[in-house]
């Protein structure tokens, strides 16, 4: 983080471009915009101020802003997320374009900046199942578990002032064999005589520091993080003890400080041993996760920092130690709150739904962008590129799709060697660090019958409510096994309103808790199962199987849900 920034969120001019005439008519050079929209909310949402349900493939935004700068200063323009293709102009001059809905892109606008400026943005989002879209529908109306699309700017837009040569990116790779972290950095426009200093502190006391000469745009500094001021000199991060390390990066040129940024890191180790999942040096870490789709009642996919923080607090209060962010690349602040409060996070790529060479190439580029932006958050245990064979529908037998999925697995391991990778969550795995299955059976008895003989299931034995565990040519090699989707119960009152859940709906809170407890007890009885993920944190539009409503109202007492996660079956009533 760098303190010298300015948010451009708020009221913008807005127009639907139904005929896709904007570029031809050069709206970026001046246009009478008929509407106002509140950025960063998609026009589909009530919080945007528009709240239109119908799709429009092309929309335009315009924002006027004042900006002055000092000599030798650069100004960067950041877009944290635009769905799906964005073209950007400043004062009528084209800055560039970006494809992909979920990651940040940046322009250096210094050369085009005036005291008074006009920023124009064209966003295009077609109903194309070949583009990564997650749970966004490509049909006229929402169906099944697919919801209203998100078109346009849906994450923050902001300006950042930096020196002429500046710290452009920092990241970390954890080296637990040395109780250390390798801090990687990128310097934009490096100059002769520059040095970068990295300092790591715990509870206000310096633990380690090192300085390196800047000889190239990219570099790294390794620090051993042993705190000699403590009896127990090394503190690792975990859900029960979210120990964070404050980090500062200081860039100097010929001894003078020219740039400085703050960050943080943590020591954490995720690995496996046979069927065992290990966190740090625990011999057996049991995952109690909840699935979260990251939708907000009035904001769609866009939440405020306060809403994200409260969601993390609620998940912790319900007794979960992890969250699977499903089919969405959430705002980085959510990952920060997971780091700060202590919550393991799975980072999952939004699916495409039509496999071909072009969509595979597009997917690989966008997934790489996700990994580069999110790889350093300590809470992220696992990266999940694919879910339930969506977008790779023939992976069980298609050699081309298998090579693609295996290649994405290897790419992820190469860029994030200190994290786990789940190749295709739910079923039909290729190479994978965890073996996961989805099963919405209605009782603990069915769970025990399905997975008590795990070897039989993993060798291809049929189980109700799920599919085969491996793609053809791949087989069990003794990795940890978990049920990464289960429960999914809705209340009868929600079915009457057109909502749905899995299995028979619950009549009341007692029925709901009894069935959830029975399923979790069945899962906990499986000797070779390392955890579960409950569907889901809150309702999303027509899918009413949340533990909370979409407005975050608990459907059952939070402390009773926490008791179930703690294995207190006898204390349900």
């Amino acid at each position: 983080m760098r303190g010298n920034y300015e948010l451009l969120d708020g009221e913008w001019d807005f127009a639907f471009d139904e005929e896709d005439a904007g570029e031809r008519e050069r709206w970026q050079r001046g246009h009478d915009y008929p509407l106002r929209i509140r950025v960063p909310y998609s026009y589909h949402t009530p919080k945007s101020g528009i709240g239109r349900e119908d799709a429009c493939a092309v929309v335009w935004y315009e924002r006027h802003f004042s900006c002055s700068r000092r000599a030798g200063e650069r100004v960067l323009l950041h877009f944290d997320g635009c769905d799906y293709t964005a073209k950007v102009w400043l004062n009528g001059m084209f800055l560039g374009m970006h494809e992909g809905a979920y990651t940040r892109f940046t322009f250096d606008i210094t050369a085009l900046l005036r005291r008074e400026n006009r920023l124009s943005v064209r966003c295009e989002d077609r109903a194309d199942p070949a583009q990564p879209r997650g749970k966004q529908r490509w049909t006229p109306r929402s169906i099944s578990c697919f919801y209203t699309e998100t078109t346009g700017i849906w994450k923050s837009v902001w300006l950042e002032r930096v020196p002429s040569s500046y710290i452009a990116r920092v990241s970390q790779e954890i080296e637990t064999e040395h109780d250390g972290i390798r801090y990687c950095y990128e310097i934009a426009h490096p100059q002769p005589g520059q040095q970068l200093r990295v300092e790591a502190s715990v509870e206000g006391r310096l633990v380690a520091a090192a300085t390196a000469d800047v000889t190239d745009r990219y570099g790294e500094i390794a620090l051993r993080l042993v705190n000699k001021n403590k009896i127990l000199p090394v503190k690792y991060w975990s859900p029960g003890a979210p120990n964070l390390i404050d980090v500062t990066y200081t860039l100097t040129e010929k001894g003078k400080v020219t740039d400085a940024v703050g960050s943080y890191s943590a020591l954490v180790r995720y690995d496996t041993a046979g069927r065992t999942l290990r966190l740090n040096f625990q011999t057996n870490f049991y995952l109690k996760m909840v699935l979260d789709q990251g939708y907000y009642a009035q904001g769609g996919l866009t939440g405020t920092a306060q809403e994200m923080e409260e969601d993390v607090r609620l998940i912790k209060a319900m007794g979960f130690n992890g969250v699977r962010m499903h089919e969405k690349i959430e705002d980085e602040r959510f990952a920060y709150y997971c780091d700060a409060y202590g919550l393991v996070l799975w980072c999952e790529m939004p699916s495409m739904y039509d496999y071909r060479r072009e969509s595979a190439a597009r997917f690989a580029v966008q997934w790489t962008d996700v990994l580069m932006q999110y790889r350093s958050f300590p809470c992220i245990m696992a990266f999940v590129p694919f879910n339930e064979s969506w977008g790779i529908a023939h992976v069980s037998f298609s050699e081309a799709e298998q090579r693609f999925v295996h290649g994405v697995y290897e790419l992820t391991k190469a860029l994030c060697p200190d994290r786990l990778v789940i190749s295709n969550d739910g079923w039909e795995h290729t190479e994978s660090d965890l073996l996961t299955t989805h099963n919405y059976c209605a009782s603990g008895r069915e769970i025990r019958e399905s997975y008590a003989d795990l070897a039989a299931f993993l060798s291809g034995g049929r189980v109700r409510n799920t599919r085969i565990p491996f793609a053809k040519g791949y087989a069990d090699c003794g990795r940890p096994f978990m049920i990464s989707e289960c429960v999914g119960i809705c209340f009868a009152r929600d079915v009457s309103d057109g909502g749905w859940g899995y299995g028979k709906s619950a009549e009341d809170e007692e029925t709901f808790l009894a069935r959830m407890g029975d399923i979790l007890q069945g899962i906990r009885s499986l000797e070779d199962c390392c955890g579960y993920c409950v569907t889901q944190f809150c309702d999303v539009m027509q899918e009413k199987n949340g533990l909370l409503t979409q407005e975050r109202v608990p459907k059952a007492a939070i402390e009773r849900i926490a008791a179930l996660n703690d294995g207190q079956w006898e204390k349900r009533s």
Side-chain angles (χ1 to χ4, degrees):
M1 62 181 182
R2 180 184 281 112
N4 203 5
Y5 70 92
E6 178 186 350
L7 279 175
L8 294 183
D9 294 349
E11 294 293 319
W12 290 48
D13 294 322
F14 182 81
F16 294 105
D17 189 0
E18 304 278 6
E19 304 300 323
D20 194 10
E23 280 195 276
R24 184 173 64 253
E25 297 174 1
R26 299 181 179 180
W27 288 7
Q28 69 272 20
R29 296 190 178 181
H31 180 67
D32 184 15
Y33 287 82
L35 299 170
R36 298 282 284 172
I37 189 170
R38 186 183 175 201
V39 169
Y41 296 100
S42 166
Y43 75 78
H44 303 281
T45 68
K47 276 194 173 182
S48 72
I50 296 176
R52 168 176 153 172
E53 177 77 5
D54 293 339
C56 179
V58 180
V59 297
W60 283 73
Y61 299 78
E62 187 168 282
R63 163 74 189 255
H64 294 256
F65 66 93
S66 302
C67 187
S68 59
R69 66 181 185 90
R70 294 186 296 269
E73 182 181 66
R74 296 179 185 273
V75 179
L76 308 179
L77 172 64
H78 301 284
F79 290 83
D80 282 351
C82 291
D83 196 347
Y84 170 74
T85 301
K87 292 184 177 180
V88 184
W89 293 263
L90 183 66
N91 300 320
M93 301 298 291
F94 186 57
L95 291 176
M97 69 173 292
H98 178 266
E99 180 180 355
Y102 303 102
T103 52
R104 178 180 298 118
F105 57 97
T106 299
F107 302 106
D108 185 335
I109 62 173
T110 308
L112 298 178
L113 199 61
R114 303 171 185 168
R115 184 170 292 275
E116 300 296 328
N117 300 274
R118 183 179 71 251
L119 177 61
S120 306
V121 183
R122 175 190 182 274
C123 292
E124 182 175 349
D125 186 22
R126 301 284 175 182
D128 180 6
Q131 72 186 39
R133 59 190 310 112
K135 288 301 194 76
Q136 299 181 59
R137 69 192 183 196
W138 57 93
T139 55
R141 291 290 179 264
S142 299
I143 56 171
S144 183
C145 59
F146 298 93
Y147 321 117
T148 305
E149 62 269 40
T150 297
T151 295
I153 300 171
W154 69 282
K155 291 184 180 181
S156 287
V157 184
W158 49 291
L159 298 174
E160 185 176 24
R161 299 171 186 275
V162 297
S164 57
S165 176
Y166 60 95
I167 302 166
R169 183 196 294 263
V170 296
S171 63
Q172 62 185 35
E173 290 185 10
I174 301 165
E175 299 179 328
T176 50
E177 63 271 26
H178 306 301
D179 292 324
I181 294 177
R182 185 171 297 277
Y183 294 97
C184 305
Y185 59 86
E186 177 185 351
I187 306 297
H189 314 288
Q191 301 296 315
Q194 286 182 321
Q195 290 185 316
L196 186 76
R197 180 172 176 81
V198 179
E199 297 182 349
S201 302
V202 175
E203 298 172 351
R205 290 195 174 191
L206 183 67
V207 174
T211 303
D213 293 333
V214 175
T215 58
D216 196 358
R217 180 167 182 164
Y218 302 96
E220 54 189 39
I221 294 175
L223 296 182
R224 188 163 184 256
L225 299 171
V226 176
N227 188 354
K228 297 180 176 63
N229 298 308
K230 293 289 183 179
I231 296 173
L232 297 175
V234 180
K235 287 188 174 182
Y236 276 69
W237 182 96
S238 71
N243 298 308
L244 299 181
I245 300 164
D246 295 317
V247 182
T248 58
Y249 298 80
T250 306
L251 183 66
T252 61
E253 188 171 332
K254 298 178 182 178
K256 180 182 178 182
V257 174
T258 56
D259 193 19
V261 298
S263 187
Y264 70 91
S265 59
L267 287 167
V268 63
R269 177 187 176 107
Y270 302 109
D271 69 342
T272 64
R275 297 281 185 223
T276 300
L277 175 63
R278 300 195 299 193
L279 173 66
N280 300 329
F281 305 100
Q282 297 180 34
T283 56
N284 188 1
F285 177 63
Y286 197 84
L287 268 174
K288 299 178 289 185
M289 304 187 78
V290 67
L291 183 143
D292 184 357
Q293 302 195 64
Y295 277 82
Y296 299 87
Q298 300 296 311
L301 286 176
T302 305
T304 65
Q306 292 77 16
E307 287 172 326
M308 294 176 210
E309 182 178 14
E310 183 60 20
D311 282 359
V312 170
R313 290 167 61 93
L314 283 167
I315 292 169
K316 291 278 290 185
M318 288 189 288
F320 295 101
N321 60 15
V323 56
R324 176 185 169 203
M325 184 52 64
H326 183 46
E327 292 291 322
K328 179 189 181 186
I329 303 301
E330 184 56 280
D331 188 294
E332 289 170 300
R333 291 171 294 181
F334 184 87
Y336 163 71
Y337 290 122
C338 289
D339 284 337
Y341 284 100
L343 195 64
V344 165
L345 174 64
W346 285 10
C347 179
E348 179 179 318
M349 181 66 179
S351 294
M352 57 181 183
Y353 297 91
D354 182 9
Y355 180 85
R356 50 182 183 263
R357 288 183 180 88
E358 293 79 7
S359 59
R362 177 190 297 152
F363 180 99
V365 170
Q366 294 178 31
W367 180 237
T368 299
D369 288 344
V370 169
L371 297 175
M372 294 300 288
Q373 185 172 336
Y374 285 83
R375 63 180 179 171
S376 294
F377 288 100
C379 63
I380 296 182
M381 167 188 279
F383 287 101
V384 186
F386 300 100
N387 170 70
E388 289 188 350
S389 302
W390 291 350
I392 46 168
H394 307 114
V395 69
S396 62
F397 61 87
S398 166
E399 187 174 334
E401 291 185 17
Q402 288 177 11
R403 286 179 173 175
F404 173 57
V405 174
H406 194 134
V408 170
Y409 168 87
E410 295 291 354
L411 171 66
T412 309
K413 295 296 286 187
L415 295 179
C416 307
D418 52 357
R419 309 305 162 98
L420 305 178
V421 182
I422 302 164
S423 62
N424 180 22
D425 190 58
W427 46 63
E428 298 171 345
H429 293 277
T430 61
E431 181 67 22
S432 188
D433 294 335
L434 295 180
L435 306 178
T436 59
T437 191
H438 297 171
N439 197 315
Y440 287 104
C441 65
S443 70
R445 177 184 58 79
E446 291 178 74
I447 287 285
R448 288 187 289 271
E449 290 176 351
S450 298
Y451 304 109
D453 188 349
L454 185 60
F457 167 67
L458 294 177
S459 63
R462 291 200 171 274
V463 169
R464 284 182 293 177
N465 304 317
T466 191
R467 283 160 59 168
I468 58 174
F470 293 101
K472 182 180 179 180
Y474 292 85
D476 177 33
C477 56
R479 297 291 174 86
F481 167 81
M482 71 173 289
I483 299 175
S484 56
E485 284 189 29
C486 60
V487 184
I489 306 165
C490 72
F491 279 74
R493 61 176 182 264
D494 295 324
V495 174
S496 63
D497 294 333
W500 66 273
Y502 292 94
K504 185 180 179 182
S505 56
E507 295 298 326
D508 51 34
E509 179 178 339
E510 296 302 324
T511 307
F512 178 85
L513 290 169
R515 189 178 307 159
M516 178 178 170
D518 181 47
I519 294 169
L520 295 187
Q521 189 173 14
I523 296 173
R524 294 291 286 263
S525 72
L526 300 174
E527 183 178 354
D528 289 324
C529 182
C530 69
Y532 56 81
C533 181
V534 170
T535 300
Q536 63 177 321
F537 170 60
C538 71
D539 293 346
V540 181
M541 299 186 190
Q542 72 272 11
E543 189 174 352
K544 302 289 189 179
N545 49 30
L547 300 174
L548 290 74
T549 69
Q550 194 157 321
E551 292 76 20
R552 283 23 178 199
V553 177
K555 297 181 182 179
I558 284 178
E559 62 273 14
R560 298 181 72 184
I561 295 172
L564 297 183
N565 278 314
D566 288 341
Q568 300 176 35
W569 322 115
E570 70 283 0
K571 297 182 181 180
R572 288 199 304 270
S573 58

